[in-house]
Amino acid sequence: QAKKDQGNSYHIYTPDLNTKAVKRLDLEHRLRRAIQNEELDVHFQPQVNIHTGDIIGAEALVRWFDPERGAISPGQFIPLAEETGLIADLGSWVIKQACCYTKQFLPHVEGDFKLAINLSAYQFKRPDQLIQELDQALLENALPAQCLELELTESMLMDNVQSTKETLKLLHHNGISLAIDDFGTGYSSLAYLKEFPIDKLKIDRSFIKDINHNKDDAAITSAVIAMAQKLGLSVLAEGVENSSQLQFLLEHNCDSMQGFYFSKALPAEEFIELLTEEQQSPDLLKGLQS
Ligand code: C2E
Ligand code: MG
Ligand code: MG
Ligand code: MG
């Protein structure tokens, strides 16, 4: 299609070009540059023991602020990074950053602390590289493997069962914990829970959202908590936003939680401040419960 451009009739304008494909290409270009220039950031969302209120860990969540486009959500750029292979570099970078910051967090925590890292299927298909990157990041920061947790999704586990099992066994044997992210939203087979060395289930926030009003969500959540306990797994509720959700989880004996009610993901400096506050008055959650 040609469009008359105020007299410059030779100027060809193709509206089709200016659509999704171009926007996507532009975003890909920007993301590649942002990764190269280390313009991404990692924020940390605390994970809290429901019964004691202790901060037991944090989830590393990548953040991208593009100078022209502003904040772009991981829900938007992670799938793009996965499709284009950029996730390899992005994932390596997150592992390094997360370990480097964890070293700074540890002096401010008492007891166990685990830093949870989201993995993508792409990283998981290159187990040798993944293991090497994790080992190196731990070594460089003099961290024990026990302070790392990897978040996997159900679909990642179903992809290549035999080699996945080998990889998970190796990671687990080395001391790294394994959590199932968004539990309940993926593949429906539960057989893998006994096949793989899983430590924790993270109940997806879609079940927590209406837990006080929706009988099905309440039933699913309490059943998952009970099942996790019988299997000897730890169980965390994602997306806790208010005190009635917290109350439900307390009553059903869930172990831990993560959500805006306690804190959103914070820049490292603010997360350290939170840890320091907690060291001084270890009743942050009790204040919320009353
Ligand atoms: P996820 O792993 O399930 O992470 C939890 C998401 O829920 C985060 O969104 C977090 O900010 C959000 N969230 C936490 N508490 C609440 C709450 O109380 N209410 C609501 N409505 N939301 C809450 P975020 O940071 O936008 O990340 C979205 C997804 O992007 C993550 O889901 C994860 O799958 C992916 N992602 C983030 N960082 C990374 C990364 O470094 N690597 C990979 N592979 N994926 C990542
Ligand atoms: Mg996660
Ligand atoms: Mg999740
Ligand atoms: Mg989720």
Side-chain angles (χ1 to χ4, degrees):
Q1 285 154 305
K3 186 189 168 195
K4 285 241 165 150
D5 193 1
Q6 279 132 346
N8 296 328
S9 53
Y10 56 87
H11 199 111
I12 304 292
Y13 176 74
T14 29
D16 277 357
L17 269 184
N18 198 9
T19 54
K20 268 189 177 164
V22 168
K23 280 193 188 143
R24 200 173 165 284
L25 212 60
D26 173 63
L27 202 64
E28 180 186 340
H29 173 71
R30 285 168 187 277
L31 181 57
R32 177 167 284 123
R33 204 176 47 195
I35 296 168
Q36 273 163 7
N37 300 345
E38 308 217 5
E39 287 168 3
L40 301 176
D41 207 355
V42 182
H43 284 192
F44 299 89
Q45 186 175 37
Q47 299 183 336
V48 179
N49 178 319
I50 287 188
H51 304 282
T52 64
D54 293 340
I55 295 175
I56 54 169
E59 177 174 5
L61 293 162
V62 67
R63 294 289 176 260
W64 178 22
F65 189 88
D66 181 88
E68 285 159 45
R69 302 288 145 92
I72 301 172
S73 80
Q76 222 184 324
F77 68 82
I78 292 287
L80 179 71
E82 282 175 339
E83 286 163 35
T84 55
L86 285 172
I87 194 73
D89 287 340
L90 192 154
S92 312
W93 182 83
V94 169
I95 289 172
K96 277 194 221 152
Q97 287 295 107
C99 287
C100 181
Y101 280 124
T102 301
K103 186 186 181 179
Q104 301 174 41
F105 299 156
L106 287 187
H108 303 282
V109 291
E110 287 151 26
D112 288 342
F113 181 89
K114 286 193 195 304
L115 197 286
I117 297 175
N118 290 286
L119 287 191
S120 85
Y122 189 98
Q123 289 169 287
F124 211 63
K125 281 181 190 137
R126 287 152 189 77
D128 295 344
Q129 188 183 334
L130 175 66
I131 288 166
Q132 197 245 319
E133 284 174 4
L134 290 165
D135 281 347
Q136 190 175 335
L138 289 169
L139 194 70
E140 273 173 12
N141 296 289
L143 295 173
Q146 282 71 18
C147 71
L148 278 193
E149 183 163 87
L150 301 178
E151 295 195 2
L152 316 161
T153 57
E154 291 164 284
S155 59
M156 283 164 67
L157 299 181
M158 292 306 122
D159 228 22
N160 200 336
V161 175
Q162 201 46 45
S163 83
T164 297
K165 203 196 274 185
E166 302 295 316
T167 308
L168 293 184
K169 275 188 180 162
L170 194 62
L171 290 165
H172 198 254
H173 178 80
N174 291 348
I176 293 178
S177 293
L178 303 168
I180 307 298
D181 204 354
D182 308 334
F183 184 78
T185 61
Y187 197 84
S188 59
S189 166
L190 294 175
Y192 72 85
L193 291 178
K194 60 172 193 179
E195 296 283 322
F196 299 148
I198 303 300
D199 301 285
K200 184 192 270 183
L201 302 182
K202 298 187 71 178
I203 305 175
D204 190 68
R205 75 174 135 96
S206 59
F207 299 112
I208 306 301
K209 197 167 174 286
D210 296 322
I211 206 169
N212 299 105
H213 314 288
N214 185 305
K215 276 197 282 183
D216 294 339
D217 289 335
I220 290 169
T221 300
S222 55
V224 170
I225 295 170
M227 179 184 71
Q229 278 164 351
K230 285 187 179 142
L231 290 169
L233 305 174
S234 138
V235 57
L236 176 145
E238 291 190 301
V240 176
E241 295 184 348
N242 60 53
S243 62
S244 27
Q245 292 166 334
L246 180 61
Q247 203 52 47
F248 180 99
L249 296 165
L250 265 168
E251 278 161 19
H252 290 82
N253 218 14
C254 187
D255 299 319
S256 52
M257 66 108 161
Q258 188 181 336
F260 296 163
Y261 187 56
F262 187 78
S263 172
K264 63 178 181 150
L266 302 169
E269 312 77 60
E270 287 177 39
F271 182 65
I272 291 175
E273 277 172 35
L274 186 68
L275 290 172
T276 319
E277 273 173 47
E278 202 205 31
Q279 264 184 333
Q280 282 152 10
S281 61
D283 279 342
L284 287 182
L285 191 65
K286 301 234 172 67
L288 295 176
Q289 280 167 20
S290 54

